[in-house]
Amino acid sequence: MKEEHPIVQNSTELYHPSPETVAQANVKDPEAVRIEAAKDIQAYWAKRAEELDWYKKWDKVLDDSDKPFYKWFTGGKTNIVLNALDRHVKTWRRNKLALIWESEKGEVRTFSYHAMNREVCKFANVLKSMGVVKGDLVTIYMPRIPETVIAMLATAKIGAVHSVVYGGFSVEALHGRIEDSGSKVVITADGGNMNGKKIELKKIVDEALKRSGQPEHVVVIKHLGIDVMMEQGRDYWYHELMTLPMSKNGLKCETEVMDAEDPLFILYTSGTTGKPKAILHTHGGYSVGIHATIKDVFDLKEEDRWWCTADPGWITGHSYIVYGPLIAGATSIMYEGAPMYPYPDRWWSIIEKYGVTIFYSTPTAIRGLMRFGESWANRHDLSSLRLLGSVGEPINPEAWRWFYKIIGKEKCPIMDTWWQTETGMFMMAPMPAQPLKPGSATKPFPGIDADVVNAEGKSVPVGEEGFLILKNPWPAMMRTIYKDPERYVKTYWSTYPGYYFAGDSARKDSDGYFWVIGRVDDVIKVSGYRLGTAEIESAFITHHAVAEAAVIGLPHEIKGMAIHAYLILKSGNEPNELLIEDLRKHISHELGPIAKPEKIEFVSSLPKTRSGKIMRRLLKARAQGLSEGDISTLEE
Ligand code: PRX
């Protein structure tokens, strides 16, 4: 709690929106809306829910009779697909582009709303024919290709629940998530392209399924055209299934009518234990929350071309690549590969080529591209841009200013959005018509009440660091941890009873602007990716040479945070470079390349409390040469 995140400062720099930005903004006076919403959050959210279609309107906006198991729009009947596709294909938007996709190699595919709906209907029929019914779990483990979107929507359409596992995860991470979810079907591809390399996903699925109770079926999309093993009776090619007679009536798949509170998806995210948490989101409130936020914060208009560079495998992809833009009837851009491939201007060339108007990305990517200098951006006409966005970690003012000046040409406000897998939608974010401060996510979204408190739950004075909490429920909030409601209550609602504990520290300045500093738990944000120290430690000790492991996150110039591991070896093992390389490979194989440690050190002991808990705080302080603080609980 004491250490400062080196890249976050307090700033008095203020960037005012241009008169044109204010004139065209969906929300002209954000402050007035915040004040109005705070007076009656239920009235506010009911109004926002009216913007969507419902099979049947709700009886009650918020049911808080069983806190913290809040329910929204109870009695309402909907399906996210009703708003994301069905309502659009009845209008002129059926001919509008829903998705423009470009592969890393430069192949382009486009889908109108009509085409997207047709593919979704066809695949929904395929899933049905495989015996998938309402409430069943489906794991989606994919590269960044249009079929990922189709698979998610088809699953939702028939009332099944998707669990998307990020394609950058590997065998053990995938195995754990398939097994915990009890998925009936796994949808994957032969592989994907990333940074000029072929990532062989089907091979990883095969290995994971050797460790898991088998799901009944695996559907494989042929994307790379590489050889894969197909197990008879279990594995099916997507393109063959999509031409079978049962999917001929593709356009005739009825959307399942769901209760507003029925589950839409689970998404695993890292926490403080080795076991990832399956965050559960529902159809009704989630649709309302992501629609309201994308409309107000990103000012989304009919003519916009929206590009969120995230992966559908994370919450940002769920909310703001797949569902948010589709509900808004927007045109979304999706790019398969790496930003530096083949050169560091790939992203800027995509913006120019498709006339992207709103570009939403991460501080790590911006810092990474900044390194190559502005000439890569200056080769391209970026004048179509009108708004920029940032998410996933604090953005340091230097990266903010570069983004603003070099990419936005000093005319595009940057929406720094603070939120989480658990919150489903933006909790704190500016709106275009409001002044910005580089590095601050500014203020809570209307209807959200945030505060910074001390260990006793009292608001801390202006400028002081404390724990970030949320005092009001909101429609897109997680409903529980799948199969573990006790952990839901304990993790989020027990530290400050009645309030949501976000796990971040923050400061509030005298203008009421919030400055998020970083995680205060054992979660590390590496390049914006969320990893748990315990999950990485568990993977380390499955290596034959490792007796004990402790993992911490330390500041990194580009990645924000980087993983440092301290290992005690089993006797008879040589602590040398070869072993370090082997251990890095092991982590990459078990969890994925994103979990590869920056540095591995061999030690003879680890600082522990008398009850045997590793004192990561102490390891961190020592590594950074900071004061060790209170060490009265240290064992030795
Ligand atoms: O620490 C905060 C950081 O990312 C965490 C949530 O991670 P995840 O569930 O993976 O979701 C990321 C995408 C929403 C938060 O607890 N974080 C996210 N956005 C910001 C941020 N930190 C500072 N500024 C942000 N804009």
Side-chain angles (χ1 to χ4, degrees), residues 339-349 352 368-382 402 406-407 409:
M340 326 281 179
Y341 190 85
Y343 301 109
D345 64 341
R346 183 62 184 268
W347 277 5
W348 318 136
S349 77
E352 181 177 27
L369 290 162
M370 233 172 104
R371 255 192 323 171
F372 293 95
E374 59 185 79
S375 65
W376 291 100
N378 291 343
R379 280 168 207 205
H380 297 279
D381 176 3
L382 304 180
W402 189 87
I406 308 302
I407 307 306
K409 313 293 180 205

PDB file of all heavy atoms in Angstrom, residues 339-349 352 368-382 402 406-407 409:
ATOM      1  N   PRO A 339       0.530  -5.738 -33.310  1.00  0.00           N
ATOM      2  CA  PRO A 339       0.613  -4.356 -33.794  1.00  0.00           C
ATOM      3  C   PRO A 339       1.887  -4.042 -34.568  1.00  0.00           C
ATOM      4  O   PRO A 339       1.910  -3.134 -35.376  1.00  0.00           O
ATOM      5  CB  PRO A 339       0.569  -3.520 -32.517  1.00  0.00           C
ATOM      6  CG  PRO A 339       0.669  -4.447 -31.374  1.00  0.00           C
ATOM      7  CD  PRO A 339       0.417  -5.833 -31.865  1.00  0.00           C
ATOM      8  N   MET A 340       2.954  -4.799 -34.315  1.00  0.00           N
ATOM      9  CA  MET A 340       4.245  -4.481 -34.953  1.00  0.00           C
ATOM     10  C   MET A 340       4.471  -5.332 -36.203  1.00  0.00           C
ATOM     11  O   MET A 340       5.573  -5.359 -36.723  1.00  0.00           O
ATOM     12  CB  MET A 340       5.427  -4.745 -34.006  1.00  0.00           C
ATOM     13  CG  MET A 340       5.184  -4.499 -32.563  1.00  0.00           C
ATOM     14  SD  MET A 340       5.269  -2.754 -32.181  1.00  0.00           S
ATOM     15  CE  MET A 340       4.912  -2.792 -30.430  1.00  0.00           C
ATOM     16  N   TYR A 341       3.459  -6.070 -36.653  1.00  0.00           N
ATOM     17  CA  TYR A 341       3.693  -7.001 -37.759  1.00  0.00           C
ATOM     18  C   TYR A 341       3.129  -6.501 -39.083  1.00  0.00           C
ATOM     19  O   TYR A 341       1.948  -6.165 -39.133  1.00  0.00           O
ATOM     20  CB  TYR A 341       3.085  -8.370 -37.446  1.00  0.00           C
ATOM     21  CG  TYR A 341       3.502  -9.410 -38.440  1.00  0.00           C
ATOM     22  CD1 TYR A 341       4.700 -10.089 -38.290  1.00  0.00           C
ATOM     23  CD2 TYR A 341       2.719  -9.664 -39.562  1.00  0.00           C
ATOM     24  CE1 TYR A 341       5.102 -11.013 -39.242  1.00  0.00           C
ATOM     25  CE2 TYR A 341       3.124 -10.590 -40.515  1.00  0.00           C
ATOM     26  CZ  TYR A 341       4.313 -11.259 -40.343  1.00  0.00           C
ATOM     27  OH  TYR A 341       4.716 -12.165 -41.276  1.00  0.00           O
ATOM     28  N   PRO A 342       3.844  -6.457 -40.179  1.00  0.00           N
ATOM     29  CA  PRO A 342       5.277  -6.765 -40.245  1.00  0.00           C
ATOM     30  C   PRO A 342       6.152  -5.600 -39.787  1.00  0.00           C
ATOM     31  O   PRO A 342       7.321  -5.789 -39.536  1.00  0.00           O
ATOM     32  CB  PRO A 342       5.497  -7.050 -41.734  1.00  0.00           C
ATOM     33  CG  PRO A 342       4.449  -6.248 -42.430  1.00  0.00           C
ATOM     34  CD  PRO A 342       3.269  -6.177 -41.502  1.00  0.00           C
ATOM     35  N   TYR A 343       5.524  -4.388 -39.683  1.00  0.00           N
ATOM     36  CA  TYR A 343       6.261  -3.198 -39.233  1.00  0.00           C
ATOM     37  C   TYR A 343       5.442  -2.484 -38.172  1.00  0.00           C
ATOM     38  O   TYR A 343       4.232  -2.687 -38.063  1.00  0.00           O
ATOM     39  CB  TYR A 343       6.518  -2.253 -40.424  1.00  0.00           C
ATOM     40  CG  TYR A 343       7.304  -2.924 -41.523  1.00  0.00           C
ATOM     41  CD1 TYR A 343       6.697  -3.251 -42.729  1.00  0.00           C
ATOM     42  CD2 TYR A 343       8.648  -3.252 -41.332  1.00  0.00           C
ATOM     43  CE1 TYR A 343       7.422  -3.893 -43.737  1.00  0.00           C
ATOM     44  CE2 TYR A 343       9.375  -3.897 -42.323  1.00  0.00           C
ATOM     45  CZ  TYR A 343       8.749  -4.222 -43.520  1.00  0.00           C
ATOM     46  OH  TYR A 343       9.453  -4.857 -44.485  1.00  0.00           O
ATOM     47  N   PRO A 344       6.082  -1.575 -37.445  1.00  0.00           N
ATOM     48  CA  PRO A 344       5.336  -0.926 -36.352  1.00  0.00           C
ATOM     49  C   PRO A 344       4.269   0.074 -36.795  1.00  0.00           C
ATOM     50  O   PRO A 344       3.794   0.848 -35.981  1.00  0.00           O
ATOM     51  CB  PRO A 344       6.435  -0.206 -35.547  1.00  0.00           C
ATOM     52  CG  PRO A 344       7.713  -0.738 -36.025  1.00  0.00           C
ATOM     53  CD  PRO A 344       7.511  -1.240 -37.414  1.00  0.00           C
ATOM     54  N   ASP A 345       3.909   0.075 -38.080  1.00  0.00           N
ATOM     55  CA  ASP A 345       2.817   0.976 -38.489  1.00  0.00           C
ATOM     56  C   ASP A 345       1.566   0.184 -38.880  1.00  0.00           C
ATOM     57  O   ASP A 345       0.657   0.724 -39.502  1.00  0.00           O
ATOM     58  CB  ASP A 345       3.245   1.863 -39.665  1.00  0.00           C
ATOM     59  CG  ASP A 345       3.540   1.054 -40.915  1.00  0.00           C
ATOM     60  OD1 ASP A 345       3.761  -0.175 -40.797  1.00  0.00           O
ATOM     61  OD2 ASP A 345       3.550   1.646 -42.012  1.00  0.00           O
ATOM     62  N   ARG A 346       1.514  -1.101 -38.498  1.00  0.00           N
ATOM     63  CA  ARG A 346       0.368  -1.902 -38.940  1.00  0.00           C
ATOM     64  C   ARG A 346      -0.953  -1.295 -38.463  1.00  0.00           C
ATOM     65  O   ARG A 346      -1.908  -1.159 -39.228  1.00  0.00           O
ATOM     66  CB  ARG A 346       0.516  -3.334 -38.418  1.00  0.00           C
ATOM     67  CG  ARG A 346      -0.585  -4.282 -38.887  1.00  0.00           C
ATOM     68  CD  ARG A 346      -0.570  -4.418 -40.417  1.00  0.00           C
ATOM     69  NE  ARG A 346      -1.648  -5.237 -40.934  1.00  0.00           N
ATOM     70  CZ  ARG A 346      -1.565  -6.549 -41.149  1.00  0.00           C
ATOM     71  NH1 ARG A 346      -0.455  -7.193 -40.883  1.00  0.00           N
ATOM     72  NH2 ARG A 346      -2.587  -7.203 -41.629  1.00  0.00           N
ATOM     73  N   TRP A 347      -1.002  -0.917 -37.190  1.00  0.00           N
ATOM     74  CA  TRP A 347      -2.251  -0.362 -36.667  1.00  0.00           C
ATOM     75  C   TRP A 347      -2.629   0.947 -37.377  1.00  0.00           C
ATOM     76  O   TRP A 347      -3.785   1.182 -37.701  1.00  0.00           O
ATOM     77  CB  TRP A 347      -2.133  -0.100 -35.162  1.00  0.00           C
ATOM     78  CG  TRP A 347      -2.376  -1.324 -34.337  1.00  0.00           C
ATOM     79  CD1 TRP A 347      -2.580  -2.597 -34.787  1.00  0.00           C
ATOM     80  CD2 TRP A 347      -2.436  -1.387 -32.915  1.00  0.00           C
ATOM     81  NE1 TRP A 347      -2.765  -3.444 -33.724  1.00  0.00           N
ATOM     82  CE2 TRP A 347      -2.679  -2.727 -32.563  1.00  0.00           C
ATOM     83  CE3 TRP A 347      -2.311  -0.442 -31.890  1.00  0.00           C
ATOM     84  CZ2 TRP A 347      -2.809  -3.152 -31.243  1.00  0.00           C
ATOM     85  CZ3 TRP A 347      -2.430  -0.851 -30.572  1.00  0.00           C
ATOM     86  CH2 TRP A 347      -2.675  -2.209 -30.255  1.00  0.00           C
ATOM     87  N   TRP A 348      -1.605   1.772 -37.601  1.00  0.00           N
ATOM     88  CA  TRP A 348      -1.907   3.079 -38.216  1.00  0.00           C
ATOM     89  C   TRP A 348      -2.382   2.875 -39.653  1.00  0.00           C
ATOM     90  O   TRP A 348      -3.228   3.599 -40.149  1.00  0.00           O
ATOM     91  CB  TRP A 348      -0.688   4.006 -38.152  1.00  0.00           C
ATOM     92  CG  TRP A 348       0.029   3.943 -36.829  1.00  0.00           C
ATOM     93  CD1 TRP A 348       1.371   3.871 -36.630  1.00  0.00           C
ATOM     94  CD2 TRP A 348      -0.559   3.937 -35.505  1.00  0.00           C
ATOM     95  NE1 TRP A 348       1.664   3.804 -35.285  1.00  0.00           N
ATOM     96  CE2 TRP A 348       0.509   3.844 -34.570  1.00  0.00           C
ATOM     97  CE3 TRP A 348      -1.861   3.984 -34.996  1.00  0.00           C
ATOM     98  CZ2 TRP A 348       0.321   3.793 -33.185  1.00  0.00           C
ATOM     99  CZ3 TRP A 348      -2.059   3.930 -33.617  1.00  0.00           C
ATOM    100  CH2 TRP A 348      -0.990   3.841 -32.739  1.00  0.00           C
ATOM    101  N   SER A 349      -1.843   1.828 -40.298  1.00  0.00           N
ATOM    102  CA  SER A 349      -2.286   1.568 -41.670  1.00  0.00           C
ATOM    103  C   SER A 349      -3.735   1.071 -41.672  1.00  0.00           C
ATOM    104  O   SER A 349      -4.504   1.372 -42.582  1.00  0.00           O
ATOM    105  CB  SER A 349      -1.355   0.588 -42.377  1.00  0.00           C
ATOM    106  OG  SER A 349      -1.609  -0.728 -41.944  1.00  0.00           O
ATOM    107  N   GLU A 352      -6.045   4.048 -41.274  1.00  0.00           N
ATOM    108  CA  GLU A 352      -6.144   4.785 -42.541  1.00  0.00           C
ATOM    109  C   GLU A 352      -7.005   4.017 -43.554  1.00  0.00           C
ATOM    110  O   GLU A 352      -7.919   4.570 -44.166  1.00  0.00           O
ATOM    111  CB  GLU A 352      -4.741   5.000 -43.106  1.00  0.00           C
ATOM    112  CG  GLU A 352      -4.737   5.782 -44.403  1.00  0.00           C
ATOM    113  CD  GLU A 352      -3.320   6.038 -44.907  1.00  0.00           C
ATOM    114  OE1 GLU A 352      -2.407   5.243 -44.602  1.00  0.00           O
ATOM    115  OE2 GLU A 352      -3.142   7.036 -45.612  1.00  0.00           O
ATOM    116  N   GLY A 368       4.688   0.675 -26.281  1.00  0.00           N
ATOM    117  CA  GLY A 368       5.466  -0.165 -27.180  1.00  0.00           C
ATOM    118  C   GLY A 368       5.652   0.513 -28.535  1.00  0.00           C
ATOM    119  O   GLY A 368       6.740   0.506 -29.108  1.00  0.00           O
ATOM    120  N   LEU A 369       4.581   1.139 -29.059  1.00  0.00           N
ATOM    121  CA  LEU A 369       4.654   1.762 -30.378  1.00  0.00           C
ATOM    122  C   LEU A 369       5.417   3.088 -30.338  1.00  0.00           C
ATOM    123  O   LEU A 369       6.098   3.461 -31.298  1.00  0.00           O
ATOM    124  CB  LEU A 369       3.239   1.958 -30.933  1.00  0.00           C
ATOM    125  CG  LEU A 369       2.560   0.630 -31.309  1.00  0.00           C
ATOM    126  CD1 LEU A 369       1.059   0.791 -31.442  1.00  0.00           C
ATOM    127  CD2 LEU A 369       3.146   0.059 -32.597  1.00  0.00           C
ATOM    128  N   MET A 370       5.317   3.758 -29.195  1.00  0.00           N
ATOM    129  CA  MET A 370       6.035   5.021 -28.976  1.00  0.00           C
ATOM    130  C   MET A 370       7.541   4.847 -29.168  1.00  0.00           C
ATOM    131  O   MET A 370       8.223   5.711 -29.685  1.00  0.00           O
ATOM    132  CB  MET A 370       5.791   5.400 -27.508  1.00  0.00           C
ATOM    133  CG  MET A 370       5.267   6.756 -27.261  1.00  0.00           C
ATOM    134  SD  MET A 370       4.846   6.833 -25.484  1.00  0.00           S
ATOM    135  CE  MET A 370       6.224   7.776 -24.895  1.00  0.00           C
ATOM    136  N   ARG A 371       8.020   3.682 -28.726  1.00  0.00           N
ATOM    137  CA  ARG A 371       9.447   3.358 -28.801  1.00  0.00           C
ATOM    138  C   ARG A 371      10.006   3.501 -30.211  1.00  0.00           C
ATOM    139  O   ARG A 371      11.166   3.781 -30.422  1.00  0.00           O
ATOM    140  CB  ARG A 371       9.624   1.883 -28.400  1.00  0.00           C
ATOM    141  CG  ARG A 371      10.179   1.658 -27.049  1.00  0.00           C
ATOM    142  CD  ARG A 371      10.576   0.232 -26.893  1.00  0.00           C
ATOM    143  NE  ARG A 371       9.654  -0.688 -27.565  1.00  0.00           N
ATOM    144  CZ  ARG A 371       9.873  -1.983 -27.720  1.00  0.00           C
ATOM    145  NH1 ARG A 371      10.968  -2.515 -27.263  1.00  0.00           N
ATOM    146  NH2 ARG A 371       8.994  -2.763 -28.318  1.00  0.00           N
ATOM    147  N   PHE A 372       9.136   3.211 -31.199  1.00  0.00           N
ATOM    148  CA  PHE A 372       9.612   3.222 -32.581  1.00  0.00           C
ATOM    149  C   PHE A 372       9.590   4.624 -33.195  1.00  0.00           C
ATOM    150  O   PHE A 372       9.940   4.798 -34.354  1.00  0.00           O
ATOM    151  CB  PHE A 372       8.771   2.260 -33.438  1.00  0.00           C
ATOM    152  CG  PHE A 372       8.967   0.824 -33.047  1.00  0.00           C
ATOM    153  CD1 PHE A 372       8.100   0.206 -32.163  1.00  0.00           C
ATOM    154  CD2 PHE A 372      10.046   0.105 -33.550  1.00  0.00           C
ATOM    155  CE1 PHE A 372       8.288  -1.116 -31.787  1.00  0.00           C
ATOM    156  CE2 PHE A 372      10.245  -1.210 -33.179  1.00  0.00           C
ATOM    157  CZ  PHE A 372       9.368  -1.825 -32.287  1.00  0.00           C
ATOM    158  N   GLY A 373       9.122   5.585 -32.422  1.00  0.00           N
ATOM    159  CA  GLY A 373       9.137   6.964 -32.906  1.00  0.00           C
ATOM    160  C   GLY A 373       7.888   7.294 -33.704  1.00  0.00           C
ATOM    161  O   GLY A 373       7.166   6.415 -34.147  1.00  0.00           O
ATOM    162  N   GLU A 374       7.688   8.618 -33.916  1.00  0.00           N
ATOM    163  CA  GLU A 374       6.433   9.058 -34.525  1.00  0.00           C
ATOM    164  C   GLU A 374       6.392   8.906 -36.040  1.00  0.00           C
ATOM    165  O   GLU A 374       5.329   9.001 -36.638  1.00  0.00           O
ATOM    166  CB  GLU A 374       6.148  10.504 -34.121  1.00  0.00           C
ATOM    167  CG  GLU A 374       7.243  11.483 -34.532  1.00  0.00           C
ATOM    168  CD  GLU A 374       6.969  12.879 -34.014  1.00  0.00           C
ATOM    169  OE1 GLU A 374       7.236  13.115 -32.821  1.00  0.00           O
ATOM    170  OE2 GLU A 374       6.481  13.708 -34.800  1.00  0.00           O
ATOM    171  N   SER A 375       7.548   8.649 -36.669  1.00  0.00           N
ATOM    172  CA  SER A 375       7.551   8.625 -38.139  1.00  0.00           C
ATOM    173  C   SER A 375       6.647   7.512 -38.682  1.00  0.00           C
ATOM    174  O   SER A 375       6.043   7.656 -39.741  1.00  0.00           O
ATOM    175  CB  SER A 375       8.965   8.476 -38.679  1.00  0.00           C
ATOM    176  OG  SER A 375       9.469   7.226 -38.295  1.00  0.00           O
ATOM    177  N   TRP A 376       6.508   6.417 -37.935  1.00  0.00           N
ATOM    178  CA  TRP A 376       5.636   5.317 -38.393  1.00  0.00           C
ATOM    179  C   TRP A 376       4.175   5.770 -38.459  1.00  0.00           C
ATOM    180  O   TRP A 376       3.438   5.389 -39.366  1.00  0.00           O
ATOM    181  CB  TRP A 376       5.753   4.104 -37.461  1.00  0.00           C
ATOM    182  CG  TRP A 376       7.084   3.442 -37.575  1.00  0.00           C
ATOM    183  CD1 TRP A 376       8.144   3.585 -36.726  1.00  0.00           C
ATOM    184  CD2 TRP A 376       7.527   2.549 -38.609  1.00  0.00           C
ATOM    185  NE1 TRP A 376       9.208   2.838 -37.166  1.00  0.00           N
ATOM    186  CE2 TRP A 376       8.856   2.186 -38.322  1.00  0.00           C
ATOM    187  CE3 TRP A 376       6.929   2.022 -39.760  1.00  0.00           C
ATOM    188  CZ2 TRP A 376       9.600   1.320 -39.118  1.00  0.00           C
ATOM    189  CZ3 TRP A 376       7.660   1.157 -40.558  1.00  0.00           C
ATOM    190  CH2 TRP A 376       8.986   0.811 -40.236  1.00  0.00           C
ATOM    191  N   ALA A 377       3.789   6.573 -37.492  1.00  0.00           N
ATOM    192  CA  ALA A 377       2.409   7.083 -37.500  1.00  0.00           C
ATOM    193  C   ALA A 377       2.257   8.172 -38.558  1.00  0.00           C
ATOM    194  O   ALA A 377       1.225   8.262 -39.235  1.00  0.00           O
ATOM    195  CB  ALA A 377       2.040   7.622 -36.130  1.00  0.00           C
ATOM    196  N   ASN A 378       3.300   8.987 -38.713  1.00  0.00           N
ATOM    197  CA  ASN A 378       3.205  10.129 -39.623  1.00  0.00           C
ATOM    198  C   ASN A 378       3.119   9.741 -41.097  1.00  0.00           C
ATOM    199  O   ASN A 378       2.768  10.562 -41.938  1.00  0.00           O
ATOM    200  CB  ASN A 378       4.385  11.081 -39.400  1.00  0.00           C
ATOM    201  CG  ASN A 378       4.266  11.765 -38.040  1.00  0.00           C
ATOM    202  OD1 ASN A 378       3.183  11.774 -37.431  1.00  0.00           O
ATOM    203  ND2 ASN A 378       5.367  12.303 -37.545  1.00  0.00           N
ATOM    204  N   ARG A 379       3.439   8.482 -41.399  1.00  0.00           N
ATOM    205  CA  ARG A 379       3.288   8.025 -42.787  1.00  0.00           C
ATOM    206  C   ARG A 379       1.835   7.833 -43.179  1.00  0.00           C
ATOM    207  O   ARG A 379       1.531   7.517 -44.316  1.00  0.00           O
ATOM    208  CB  ARG A 379       3.869   6.616 -42.930  1.00  0.00           C
ATOM    209  CG  ARG A 379       5.296   6.577 -43.061  1.00  0.00           C
ATOM    210  CD  ARG A 379       5.767   5.160 -42.900  1.00  0.00           C
ATOM    211  NE  ARG A 379       7.106   5.295 -42.415  1.00  0.00           N
ATOM    212  CZ  ARG A 379       8.063   4.419 -42.539  1.00  0.00           C
ATOM    213  NH1 ARG A 379       7.811   3.281 -43.102  1.00  0.00           N
ATOM    214  NH2 ARG A 379       9.249   4.658 -42.089  1.00  0.00           N
ATOM    215  N   HIS A 380       0.941   7.872 -42.214  1.00  0.00           N
ATOM    216  CA  HIS A 380      -0.452   7.532 -42.512  1.00  0.00           C
ATOM    217  C   HIS A 380      -1.389   8.699 -42.239  1.00  0.00           C
ATOM    218  O   HIS A 380      -1.146   9.502 -41.342  1.00  0.00           O
ATOM    219  CB  HIS A 380      -0.873   6.311 -41.674  1.00  0.00           C
ATOM    220  CG  HIS A 380      -0.077   5.102 -42.034  1.00  0.00           C
ATOM    221  ND1 HIS A 380      -0.368   4.325 -43.125  1.00  0.00           N
ATOM    222  CD2 HIS A 380       1.039   4.582 -41.482  1.00  0.00           C
ATOM    223  CE1 HIS A 380       0.533   3.352 -43.223  1.00  0.00           C
ATOM    224  NE2 HIS A 380       1.399   3.490 -42.235  1.00  0.00           N
ATOM    225  N   ASP A 381      -2.465   8.715 -43.010  1.00  0.00           N
ATOM    226  CA  ASP A 381      -3.485   9.739 -42.814  1.00  0.00           C
ATOM    227  C   ASP A 381      -4.422   9.245 -41.705  1.00  0.00           C
ATOM    228  O   ASP A 381      -5.223   8.329 -41.916  1.00  0.00           O
ATOM    229  CB  ASP A 381      -4.245   9.921 -44.133  1.00  0.00           C
ATOM    230  CG  ASP A 381      -5.393  10.903 -43.985  1.00  0.00           C
ATOM    231  OD1 ASP A 381      -5.553  11.464 -42.877  1.00  0.00           O
ATOM    232  OD2 ASP A 381      -6.132  11.096 -44.967  1.00  0.00           O
ATOM    233  N   LEU A 382      -4.293   9.855 -40.548  1.00  0.00           N
ATOM    234  CA  LEU A 382      -5.115   9.415 -39.407  1.00  0.00           C
ATOM    235  C   LEU A 382      -6.254  10.401 -39.153  1.00  0.00           C
ATOM    236  O   LEU A 382      -6.828  10.443 -38.064  1.00  0.00           O
ATOM    237  CB  LEU A 382      -4.235   9.272 -38.151  1.00  0.00           C
ATOM    238  CG  LEU A 382      -3.013   8.343 -38.278  1.00  0.00           C
ATOM    239  CD1 LEU A 382      -2.227   8.299 -36.972  1.00  0.00           C
ATOM    240  CD2 LEU A 382      -3.450   6.927 -38.658  1.00  0.00           C
ATOM    241  N   TRP A 402       1.673  11.461 -25.910  1.00  0.00           N
ATOM    242  CA  TRP A 402       2.111  10.962 -27.223  1.00  0.00           C
ATOM    243  C   TRP A 402       0.898  10.506 -28.040  1.00  0.00           C
ATOM    244  O   TRP A 402       0.744  10.868 -29.205  1.00  0.00           O
ATOM    245  CB  TRP A 402       3.094   9.796 -27.028  1.00  0.00           C
ATOM    246  CG  TRP A 402       3.761   9.364 -28.297  1.00  0.00           C
ATOM    247  CD1 TRP A 402       4.904   9.886 -28.835  1.00  0.00           C
ATOM    248  CD2 TRP A 402       3.329   8.324 -29.187  1.00  0.00           C
ATOM    249  NE1 TRP A 402       5.213   9.233 -30.009  1.00  0.00           N
ATOM    250  CE2 TRP A 402       4.272   8.263 -30.253  1.00  0.00           C
ATOM    251  CE3 TRP A 402       2.261   7.431 -29.196  1.00  0.00           C
ATOM    252  CZ2 TRP A 402       4.160   7.351 -31.305  1.00  0.00           C
ATOM    253  CZ3 TRP A 402       2.154   6.526 -30.252  1.00  0.00           C
ATOM    254  CH2 TRP A 402       3.097   6.491 -31.291  1.00  0.00           C
ATOM    255  N   ILE A 406       0.455  12.585 -31.295  1.00  0.00           N
ATOM    256  CA  ILE A 406       0.934  11.924 -32.508  1.00  0.00           C
ATOM    257  C   ILE A 406      -0.190  11.158 -33.204  1.00  0.00           C
ATOM    258  O   ILE A 406      -0.295  11.147 -34.420  1.00  0.00           O
ATOM    259  CB  ILE A 406       2.121  10.974 -32.194  1.00  0.00           C
ATOM    260  CG1 ILE A 406       3.206  11.723 -31.419  1.00  0.00           C
ATOM    261  CG2 ILE A 406       2.666  10.320 -33.461  1.00  0.00           C
ATOM    262  CD1 ILE A 406       3.752  12.943 -32.120  1.00  0.00           C
ATOM    263  N   ILE A 407      -1.051  10.525 -32.440  1.00  0.00           N
ATOM    264  CA  ILE A 407      -2.131   9.757 -33.073  1.00  0.00           C
ATOM    265  C   ILE A 407      -3.389  10.619 -33.228  1.00  0.00           C
ATOM    266  O   ILE A 407      -4.002  10.657 -34.286  1.00  0.00           O
ATOM    267  CB  ILE A 407      -2.431   8.466 -32.270  1.00  0.00           C
ATOM    268  CG1 ILE A 407      -1.143   7.662 -32.056  1.00  0.00           C
ATOM    269  CG2 ILE A 407      -3.512   7.622 -32.955  1.00  0.00           C
ATOM    270  CD1 ILE A 407      -0.369   7.328 -33.323  1.00  0.00           C
ATOM    271  N   LYS A 409      -3.595  13.918 -33.085  1.00  0.00           N
ATOM    272  CA  LYS A 409      -3.303  15.246 -33.660  1.00  0.00           C
ATOM    273  C   LYS A 409      -3.944  16.369 -32.856  1.00  0.00           C
ATOM    274  O   LYS A 409      -4.444  17.357 -33.401  1.00  0.00           O
ATOM    275  CB  LYS A 409      -3.770  15.327 -35.134  1.00  0.00           C
ATOM    276  CG  LYS A 409      -3.357  14.144 -35.993  1.00  0.00           C
ATOM    277  CD  LYS A 409      -1.873  14.050 -36.221  1.00  0.00           C
ATOM    278  CE  LYS A 409      -1.515  12.843 -37.079  1.00  0.00           C
ATOM    279  NZ  LYS A 409      -0.144  12.366 -36.859  1.00  0.00           N
TER     280      LYS A 409
END
